[in-house]
Amino acid sequence: MKKLLIIAIAGLLFASCEKDEKEKTESDIIVKEYGEDYVLDFHDRRGMKINGTTRNLGVNIDINDDGVDDVMVCLTQYSGGEYIDYIPVSSFATVGGLREYYLHYGDAICDTTNWESETTLWFGSRPVSDEYIAVKFVTDTSVNYGWILPIIEPHYLYDLDDHCTVSIVKSGYCKTNGKAIFAGQEE
């Protein structure tokens, strides 16, 4: 009987340790990768709208994987060039890390990040491979942080034609309330 009791206790301890190991290895970061449906290029007419003198081409992304779009990334062409709009479409989302305060890989995203107004423009006529957009989600009970990685590739079709392609490559979201995330963090 003692042997059976010892075996049962050992089994419970083993199961408990195994559960703790699984909890330790499960990441609190949601990382999403995006494909060619998230490439914005005015010479690819997919999804284009024409509004007066500006042209808009955009995609919505769900960063926190709750089935609701959080941010629209929109390529806008004015007579002076192309810009990228990061527009929160969720009432809980705010964008940051733009203009002269854009973020690089490893930069902290937290309450001290430069949080912007509802619509932010970022000029996209230069190569960008390591600049992240910060996203903050605020509800009555929580504050969570995330990031978006756009890749901006300029190319020139004609001598005077300044044109770019914007690819939404990845996004990350920290599920832990109030915890900072780093730009590009995946674990």
Side-chain angles (χ1 to χ4, degrees):
M1 186 71 169
K2 282 185 176 180
K3 285 184 181 181
L4 187 58
L5 186 58
I6 291 173
I7 291 172
I9 291 172
L12 287 173
L13 287 173
F14 178 74
S16 175
C17 290
E18 190 174 284
K19 181 180 176 187
D20 288 345
E21 278 300 311
K22 284 183 182 177
E23 288 175 0
K24 287 179 187 175
T25 60
E26 185 177 315
S27 177
D28 67 343
I29 307 289
I30 296 172
V31 176
K32 296 176 78 174
E33 293 188 26
Y34 303 94
E36 61 185 51
D37 288 340
Y38 293 86
V39 175
L40 305 175
D41 185 332
F42 277 119
H43 294 277
D44 174 356
R45 301 286 188 230
R46 191 176 40 199
M48 183 184 298
K49 298 179 199 173
I50 298 175
N51 297 328
T53 60
T54 64
R55 298 191 306 168
N56 298 308
L57 183 67
V59 293
N60 289 335
I61 56 176
D62 173 16
I63 298 165
N64 58 0
D65 207 25
D66 66 355
V68 177
D69 292 331
D70 301 308
V71 176
M72 178 174 50
V73 180
C74 185
L75 186 59
T76 304
Q77 190 173 52
Y78 298 99
S79 59
E82 293 175 350
Y83 293 80
I84 304 169
D85 296 330
Y86 297 92
I87 305 166
V89 292
S90 164
S91 61
F92 303 115
T94 304
V95 294
L98 301 166
R99 301 185 197 266
E100 66 270 16
Y101 302 106
Y102 56 83
L103 303 173
H104 291 285
Y105 181 85
D107 287 348
I109 299 171
C110 57
D111 209 36
T112 61
T113 299
N114 183 42
W115 298 105
E116 303 283 342
S117 61
E118 283 189 18
T119 302
T120 305
L121 300 174
W122 189 18
F123 188 64
S125 65
R126 56 191 165 80
V128 179
S129 61
D130 179 22
E131 294 180 354
Y132 291 79
I133 305 306
V135 183
K136 177 168 68 170
F137 298 84
V138 179
T139 67
D140 291 339
T141 58
S142 67
V143 175
N144 296 80
Y145 301 100
W147 51 264
I148 301 169
L149 175 60
I151 300 294
I152 302 165
E153 300 173 78
H155 42 93
Y156 306 94
L157 299 175
Y158 306 103
D159 289 338
L160 300 175
D161 185 16
D162 184 9
H163 173 70
C164 68
T165 299
V166 178
S167 303
I168 307 306
V169 179
K170 286 185 181 180
S171 67
Y173 173 80
C174 183
K175 299 184 286 186
T176 303
N177 181 19
K179 182 177 177 184
I181 187 174
F182 299 95
Q185 180 180 353
E186 297 189 19
E187 295 179 2

PDB file of all heavy atoms in Angstrom, residues 9-37:
ATOM      1  N   ILE A   9       1.878   9.724  -5.438  1.00  0.00           N
ATOM      2  CA  ILE A   9       2.417  11.050  -5.103  1.00  0.00           C
ATOM      3  C   ILE A   9       3.481  11.458  -6.121  1.00  0.00           C
ATOM      4  O   ILE A   9       3.508  12.599  -6.588  1.00  0.00           O
ATOM      5  CB  ILE A   9       2.974  11.067  -3.658  1.00  0.00           C
ATOM      6  CG1 ILE A   9       1.812  10.955  -2.658  1.00  0.00           C
ATOM      7  CG2 ILE A   9       3.788  12.338  -3.406  1.00  0.00           C
ATOM      8  CD1 ILE A   9       2.245  10.778  -1.218  1.00  0.00           C
ATOM      9  N   ALA A  10       4.349  10.531  -6.489  1.00  0.00           N
ATOM     10  CA  ALA A  10       5.382  10.814  -7.482  1.00  0.00           C
ATOM     11  C   ALA A  10       4.748  11.197  -8.822  1.00  0.00           C
ATOM     12  O   ALA A  10       5.211  12.117  -9.503  1.00  0.00           O
ATOM     13  CB  ALA A  10       6.320   9.624  -7.650  1.00  0.00           C
ATOM     14  N   GLY A  11       3.689  10.491  -9.191  1.00  0.00           N
ATOM     15  CA  GLY A  11       2.985  10.807 -10.438  1.00  0.00           C
ATOM     16  C   GLY A  11       2.383  12.200 -10.414  1.00  0.00           C
ATOM     17  O   GLY A  11       2.448  12.941 -11.393  1.00  0.00           O
ATOM     18  N   LEU A  12       1.779  12.585  -9.283  1.00  0.00           N
ATOM     19  CA  LEU A  12       1.209  13.928  -9.146  1.00  0.00           C
ATOM     20  C   LEU A  12       2.288  15.003  -9.224  1.00  0.00           C
ATOM     21  O   LEU A  12       2.101  16.042  -9.863  1.00  0.00           O
ATOM     22  CB  LEU A  12       0.430  14.048  -7.841  1.00  0.00           C
ATOM     23  CG  LEU A  12      -0.917  13.331  -7.782  1.00  0.00           C
ATOM     24  CD1 LEU A  12      -1.480  13.388  -6.372  1.00  0.00           C
ATOM     25  CD2 LEU A  12      -1.882  13.951  -8.769  1.00  0.00           C
ATOM     26  N   LEU A  13       3.411  14.776  -8.569  1.00  0.00           N
ATOM     27  CA  LEU A  13       4.514  15.730  -8.613  1.00  0.00           C
ATOM     28  C   LEU A  13       5.058  15.870 -10.032  1.00  0.00           C
ATOM     29  O   LEU A  13       5.334  16.975 -10.499  1.00  0.00           O
ATOM     30  CB  LEU A  13       5.631  15.313  -7.659  1.00  0.00           C
ATOM     31  CG  LEU A  13       5.341  15.499  -6.169  1.00  0.00           C
ATOM     32  CD1 LEU A  13       6.463  14.893  -5.332  1.00  0.00           C
ATOM     33  CD2 LEU A  13       5.176  16.963  -5.851  1.00  0.00           C
ATOM     34  N   PHE A  14       5.199  14.748 -10.724  1.00  0.00           N
ATOM     35  CA  PHE A  14       5.684  14.774 -12.094  1.00  0.00           C
ATOM     36  C   PHE A  14       4.735  15.569 -12.994  1.00  0.00           C
ATOM     37  O   PHE A  14       5.157  16.402 -13.787  1.00  0.00           O
ATOM     38  CB  PHE A  14       5.856  13.348 -12.627  1.00  0.00           C
ATOM     39  CG  PHE A  14       6.320  13.305 -14.050  1.00  0.00           C
ATOM     40  CD1 PHE A  14       7.636  13.607 -14.378  1.00  0.00           C
ATOM     41  CD2 PHE A  14       5.438  12.967 -15.067  1.00  0.00           C
ATOM     42  CE1 PHE A  14       8.064  13.574 -15.692  1.00  0.00           C
ATOM     43  CE2 PHE A  14       5.859  12.941 -16.390  1.00  0.00           C
ATOM     44  CZ  PHE A  14       7.171  13.234 -16.703  1.00  0.00           C
ATOM     45  N   ALA A  15       3.439  15.310 -12.858  1.00  0.00           N
ATOM     46  CA  ALA A  15       2.434  16.019 -13.667  1.00  0.00           C
ATOM     47  C   ALA A  15       2.459  17.512 -13.356  1.00  0.00           C
ATOM     48  O   ALA A  15       2.330  18.347 -14.249  1.00  0.00           O
ATOM     49  CB  ALA A  15       1.044  15.439 -13.430  1.00  0.00           C
ATOM     50  N   SER A  16       2.619  17.869 -12.083  1.00  0.00           N
ATOM     51  CA  SER A  16       2.674  19.268 -11.691  1.00  0.00           C
ATOM     52  C   SER A  16       3.904  19.957 -12.286  1.00  0.00           C
ATOM     53  O   SER A  16       3.821  21.078 -12.784  1.00  0.00           O
ATOM     54  CB  SER A  16       2.690  19.377 -10.171  1.00  0.00           C
ATOM     55  OG  SER A  16       2.867  20.702  -9.777  1.00  0.00           O
ATOM     56  N   CYS A  17       5.055  19.286 -12.240  1.00  0.00           N
ATOM     57  CA  CYS A  17       6.280  19.849 -12.809  1.00  0.00           C
ATOM     58  C   CYS A  17       6.150  20.006 -14.316  1.00  0.00           C
ATOM     59  O   CYS A  17       6.605  20.993 -14.885  1.00  0.00           O
ATOM     60  CB  CYS A  17       7.482  18.960 -12.489  1.00  0.00           C
ATOM     61  SG  CYS A  17       7.935  18.989 -10.743  1.00  0.00           S
ATOM     62  N   GLU A  18       5.530  19.039 -14.980  1.00  0.00           N
ATOM     63  CA  GLU A  18       5.343  19.102 -16.423  1.00  0.00           C
ATOM     64  C   GLU A  18       4.454  20.291 -16.792  1.00  0.00           C
ATOM     65  O   GLU A  18       4.722  21.013 -17.738  1.00  0.00           O
ATOM     66  CB  GLU A  18       4.726  17.793 -16.921  1.00  0.00           C
ATOM     67  CG  GLU A  18       4.724  17.661 -18.419  1.00  0.00           C
ATOM     68  CD  GLU A  18       4.248  16.289 -18.842  1.00  0.00           C
ATOM     69  OE1 GLU A  18       5.031  15.336 -18.732  1.00  0.00           O
ATOM     70  OE2 GLU A  18       3.089  16.206 -19.281  1.00  0.00           O
ATOM     71  N   LYS A  19       3.397  20.530 -16.003  1.00  0.00           N
ATOM     72  CA  LYS A  19       2.508  21.660 -16.254  1.00  0.00           C
ATOM     73  C   LYS A  19       3.262  22.976 -16.076  1.00  0.00           C
ATOM     74  O   LYS A  19       3.119  23.897 -16.876  1.00  0.00           O
ATOM     75  CB  LYS A  19       1.310  21.605 -15.307  1.00  0.00           C
ATOM     76  CG  LYS A  19       0.323  22.728 -15.516  1.00  0.00           C
ATOM     77  CD  LYS A  19      -0.826  22.628 -14.554  1.00  0.00           C
ATOM     78  CE  LYS A  19      -1.761  23.807 -14.706  1.00  0.00           C
ATOM     79  NZ  LYS A  19      -2.794  23.834 -13.690  1.00  0.00           N
ATOM     80  N   ASP A  20       4.092  23.077 -15.019  1.00  0.00           N
ATOM     81  CA  ASP A  20       4.881  24.284 -14.794  1.00  0.00           C
ATOM     82  C   ASP A  20       5.831  24.543 -15.956  1.00  0.00           C
ATOM     83  O   ASP A  20       6.015  25.675 -16.378  1.00  0.00           O
ATOM     84  CB  ASP A  20       5.681  24.182 -13.489  1.00  0.00           C
ATOM     85  CG  ASP A  20       4.795  24.298 -12.255  1.00  0.00           C
ATOM     86  OD1 ASP A  20       3.637  24.735 -12.402  1.00  0.00           O
ATOM     87  OD2 ASP A  20       5.265  23.939 -11.162  1.00  0.00           O
ATOM     88  N   GLU A  21       6.465  23.500 -16.499  1.00  0.00           N
ATOM     89  CA  GLU A  21       7.360  23.657 -17.635  1.00  0.00           C
ATOM     90  C   GLU A  21       6.623  24.184 -18.855  1.00  0.00           C
ATOM     91  O   GLU A  21       7.114  25.054 -19.557  1.00  0.00           O
ATOM     92  CB  GLU A  21       8.047  22.329 -17.976  1.00  0.00           C
ATOM     93  CG  GLU A  21       9.246  22.016 -17.120  1.00  0.00           C
ATOM     94  CD  GLU A  21      10.327  23.076 -17.227  1.00  0.00           C
ATOM     95  OE1 GLU A  21      10.706  23.469 -18.344  1.00  0.00           O
ATOM     96  OE2 GLU A  21      10.788  23.541 -16.171  1.00  0.00           O
ATOM     97  N   LYS A  22       5.410  23.673 -19.127  1.00  0.00           N
ATOM     98  CA  LYS A  22       4.622  24.143 -20.258  1.00  0.00           C
ATOM     99  C   LYS A  22       4.267  25.612 -20.085  1.00  0.00           C
ATOM    100  O   LYS A  22       4.327  26.382 -21.028  1.00  0.00           O
ATOM    101  CB  LYS A  22       3.339  23.319 -20.415  1.00  0.00           C
ATOM    102  CG  LYS A  22       3.569  21.969 -21.025  1.00  0.00           C
ATOM    103  CD  LYS A  22       2.259  21.246 -21.210  1.00  0.00           C
ATOM    104  CE  LYS A  22       2.484  19.859 -21.782  1.00  0.00           C
ATOM    105  NZ  LYS A  22       1.238  19.111 -21.907  1.00  0.00           N
ATOM    106  N   GLU A  23       3.895  26.004 -18.856  1.00  0.00           N
ATOM    107  CA  GLU A  23       3.551  27.400 -18.610  1.00  0.00           C
ATOM    108  C   GLU A  23       4.757  28.313 -18.799  1.00  0.00           C
ATOM    109  O   GLU A  23       4.635  29.427 -19.273  1.00  0.00           O
ATOM    110  CB  GLU A  23       2.974  27.561 -17.205  1.00  0.00           C
ATOM    111  CG  GLU A  23       1.574  26.973 -17.076  1.00  0.00           C
ATOM    112  CD  GLU A  23       1.047  27.035 -15.652  1.00  0.00           C
ATOM    113  OE1 GLU A  23       1.764  27.538 -14.759  1.00  0.00           O
ATOM    114  OE2 GLU A  23      -0.071  26.562 -15.433  1.00  0.00           O
ATOM    115  N   LYS A  24       5.952  27.825 -18.438  1.00  0.00           N
ATOM    116  CA  LYS A  24       7.154  28.630 -18.590  1.00  0.00           C
ATOM    117  C   LYS A  24       7.522  28.811 -20.065  1.00  0.00           C
ATOM    118  O   LYS A  24       8.025  29.845 -20.445  1.00  0.00           O
ATOM    119  CB  LYS A  24       8.327  27.976 -17.855  1.00  0.00           C
ATOM    120  CG  LYS A  24       8.242  28.090 -16.363  1.00  0.00           C
ATOM    121  CD  LYS A  24       9.415  27.402 -15.711  1.00  0.00           C
ATOM    122  CE  LYS A  24       9.263  27.364 -14.205  1.00  0.00           C
ATOM    123  NZ  LYS A  24      10.348  26.597 -13.582  1.00  0.00           N
ATOM    124  N   THR A  25       7.297  27.800 -20.890  1.00  0.00           N
ATOM    125  CA  THR A  25       7.699  27.884 -22.283  1.00  0.00           C
ATOM    126  C   THR A  25       6.668  28.566 -23.163  1.00  0.00           C
ATOM    127  O   THR A  25       6.993  28.992 -24.255  1.00  0.00           O
ATOM    128  CB  THR A  25       7.999  26.483 -22.856  1.00  0.00           C
ATOM    129  OG1 THR A  25       6.822  25.680 -22.764  1.00  0.00           O
ATOM    130  CG2 THR A  25       9.144  25.823 -22.114  1.00  0.00           C
ATOM    131  N   GLU A  26       5.418  28.689 -22.724  1.00  0.00           N
ATOM    132  CA  GLU A  26       4.396  29.345 -23.531  1.00  0.00           C
ATOM    133  C   GLU A  26       4.620  30.854 -23.489  1.00  0.00           C
ATOM    134  O   GLU A  26       4.650  31.475 -22.449  1.00  0.00           O
ATOM    135  CB  GLU A  26       3.008  29.003 -23.000  1.00  0.00           C
ATOM    136  CG  GLU A  26       1.902  29.546 -23.875  1.00  0.00           C
ATOM    137  CD  GLU A  26       0.534  29.154 -23.380  1.00  0.00           C
ATOM    138  OE1 GLU A  26       0.338  27.980 -23.037  1.00  0.00           O
ATOM    139  OE2 GLU A  26      -0.328  30.047 -23.322  1.00  0.00           O
ATOM    140  N   SER A  27       4.768  31.444 -24.645  1.00  0.00           N
ATOM    141  CA  SER A  27       5.059  32.868 -24.742  1.00  0.00           C
ATOM    142  C   SER A  27       3.810  33.706 -24.486  1.00  0.00           C
ATOM    143  O   SER A  27       2.701  33.296 -24.811  1.00  0.00           O
ATOM    144  CB  SER A  27       5.597  33.185 -26.139  1.00  0.00           C
ATOM    145  OG  SER A  27       5.817  34.561 -26.272  1.00  0.00           O
ATOM    146  N   ASP A  28       4.020  34.876 -23.904  1.00  0.00           N
ATOM    147  CA  ASP A  28       2.891  35.792 -23.734  1.00  0.00           C
ATOM    148  C   ASP A  28       2.837  36.804 -24.880  1.00  0.00           C
ATOM    149  O   ASP A  28       2.139  37.790 -24.815  1.00  0.00           O
ATOM    150  CB  ASP A  28       2.942  36.486 -22.375  1.00  0.00           C
ATOM    151  CG  ASP A  28       4.106  37.448 -22.204  1.00  0.00           C
ATOM    152  OD1 ASP A  28       5.073  37.362 -22.992  1.00  0.00           O
ATOM    153  OD2 ASP A  28       4.060  38.284 -21.300  1.00  0.00           O
ATOM    154  N   ILE A  29       3.584  36.532 -25.968  1.00  0.00           N
ATOM    155  CA  ILE A  29       3.612  37.392 -27.140  1.00  0.00           C
ATOM    156  C   ILE A  29       2.900  36.694 -28.303  1.00  0.00           C
ATOM    157  O   ILE A  29       3.195  35.546 -28.612  1.00  0.00           O
ATOM    158  CB  ILE A  29       5.065  37.707 -27.578  1.00  0.00           C
ATOM    159  CG1 ILE A  29       5.894  38.261 -26.418  1.00  0.00           C
ATOM    160  CG2 ILE A  29       5.081  38.637 -28.782  1.00  0.00           C
ATOM    161  CD1 ILE A  29       5.548  39.637 -25.974  1.00  0.00           C
ATOM    162  N   ILE A  30       1.961  37.395 -28.930  1.00  0.00           N
ATOM    163  CA  ILE A  30       1.322  36.905 -30.148  1.00  0.00           C
ATOM    164  C   ILE A  30       2.058  37.554 -31.316  1.00  0.00           C
ATOM    165  O   ILE A  30       2.121  38.776 -31.408  1.00  0.00           O
ATOM    166  CB  ILE A  30      -0.168  37.306 -30.214  1.00  0.00           C
ATOM    167  CG1 ILE A  30      -0.957  36.655 -29.083  1.00  0.00           C
ATOM    168  CG2 ILE A  30      -0.763  36.934 -31.572  1.00  0.00           C
ATOM    169  CD1 ILE A  30      -2.397  37.174 -28.973  1.00  0.00           C
ATOM    170  N   VAL A  31       2.635  36.741 -32.191  1.00  0.00           N
ATOM    171  CA  VAL A  31       3.317  37.252 -33.377  1.00  0.00           C
ATOM    172  C   VAL A  31       2.551  36.780 -34.603  1.00  0.00           C
ATOM    173  O   VAL A  31       2.227  35.602 -34.716  1.00  0.00           O
ATOM    174  CB  VAL A  31       4.782  36.765 -33.447  1.00  0.00           C
ATOM    175  CG1 VAL A  31       5.446  37.229 -34.733  1.00  0.00           C
ATOM    176  CG2 VAL A  31       5.558  37.253 -32.240  1.00  0.00           C
ATOM    177  N   LYS A  32       2.257  37.712 -35.487  1.00  0.00           N
ATOM    178  CA  LYS A  32       1.546  37.388 -36.724  1.00  0.00           C
ATOM    179  C   LYS A  32       2.404  37.812 -37.908  1.00  0.00           C
ATOM    180  O   LYS A  32       2.994  38.887 -37.882  1.00  0.00           O
ATOM    181  CB  LYS A  32       0.194  38.110 -36.767  1.00  0.00           C
ATOM    182  CG  LYS A  32      -0.749  37.656 -35.652  1.00  0.00           C
ATOM    183  CD  LYS A  32      -2.032  38.430 -35.653  1.00  0.00           C
ATOM    184  CE  LYS A  32      -2.930  37.914 -36.744  1.00  0.00           C
ATOM    185  NZ  LYS A  32      -4.266  38.539 -36.716  1.00  0.00           N
ATOM    186  N   GLU A  33       2.476  36.936 -38.906  1.00  0.00           N
ATOM    187  CA  GLU A  33       3.179  37.265 -40.142  1.00  0.00           C
ATOM    188  C   GLU A  33       2.147  37.486 -41.233  1.00  0.00           C
ATOM    189  O   GLU A  33       1.115  36.827 -41.270  1.00  0.00           O
ATOM    190  CB  GLU A  33       4.135  36.142 -40.526  1.00  0.00           C
ATOM    191  CG  GLU A  33       5.278  36.007 -39.532  1.00  0.00           C
ATOM    192  CD  GLU A  33       6.343  35.036 -39.990  1.00  0.00           C
ATOM    193  OE1 GLU A  33       6.489  34.842 -41.218  1.00  0.00           O
ATOM    194  OE2 GLU A  33       7.027  34.491 -39.123  1.00  0.00           O
ATOM    195  N   TYR A  34       2.441  38.429 -42.131  1.00  0.00           N
ATOM    196  CA  TYR A  34       1.501  38.807 -43.181  1.00  0.00           C
ATOM    197  C   TYR A  34       2.121  38.503 -44.538  1.00  0.00           C
ATOM    198  O   TYR A  34       3.322  38.598 -44.704  1.00  0.00           O
ATOM    199  CB  TYR A  34       1.143  40.291 -43.059  1.00  0.00           C
ATOM    200  CG  TYR A  34       0.559  40.612 -41.701  1.00  0.00           C
ATOM    201  CD1 TYR A  34       1.365  41.067 -40.667  1.00  0.00           C
ATOM    202  CD2 TYR A  34      -0.786  40.423 -41.438  1.00  0.00           C
ATOM    203  CE1 TYR A  34       0.839  41.341 -39.408  1.00  0.00           C
ATOM    204  CE2 TYR A  34      -1.321  40.691 -40.190  1.00  0.00           C
ATOM    205  CZ  TYR A  34      -0.499  41.152 -39.184  1.00  0.00           C
ATOM    206  OH  TYR A  34      -1.020  41.411 -37.941  1.00  0.00           O
ATOM    207  N   GLY A  35       1.287  38.202 -45.485  1.00  0.00           N
ATOM    208  CA  GLY A  35       1.763  37.836 -46.821  1.00  0.00           C
ATOM    209  C   GLY A  35       1.505  38.903 -47.853  1.00  0.00           C
ATOM    210  O   GLY A  35       1.353  40.085 -47.540  1.00  0.00           O
ATOM    211  N   GLU A  36       1.399  38.467 -49.096  1.00  0.00           N
ATOM    212  CA  GLU A  36       1.284  39.417 -50.208  1.00  0.00           C
ATOM    213  C   GLU A  36      -0.019  40.195 -50.214  1.00  0.00           C
ATOM    214  O   GLU A  36      -0.112  41.231 -50.882  1.00  0.00           O
ATOM    215  CB  GLU A  36       1.504  38.722 -51.540  1.00  0.00           C
ATOM    216  CG  GLU A  36       0.517  37.631 -51.854  1.00  0.00           C
ATOM    217  CD  GLU A  36       0.881  36.909 -53.146  1.00  0.00           C
ATOM    218  OE1 GLU A  36       2.034  36.478 -53.285  1.00  0.00           O
ATOM    219  OE2 GLU A  36      -0.009  36.788 -53.992  1.00  0.00           O
ATOM    220  N   ASP A  37      -1.047  39.758 -49.477  1.00  0.00           N
ATOM    221  CA  ASP A  37      -2.272  40.549 -49.370  1.00  0.00           C
ATOM    222  C   ASP A  37      -2.051  41.816 -48.552  1.00  0.00           C
ATOM    223  O   ASP A  37      -2.925  42.671 -48.483  1.00  0.00           O
ATOM    224  CB  ASP A  37      -3.402  39.729 -48.732  1.00  0.00           C
ATOM    225  CG  ASP A  37      -3.934  38.669 -49.678  1.00  0.00           C
ATOM    226  OD1 ASP A  37      -3.726  38.791 -50.904  1.00  0.00           O
ATOM    227  OD2 ASP A  37      -4.562  37.711 -49.189  1.00  0.00           O
TER     228      ASP A  37
END
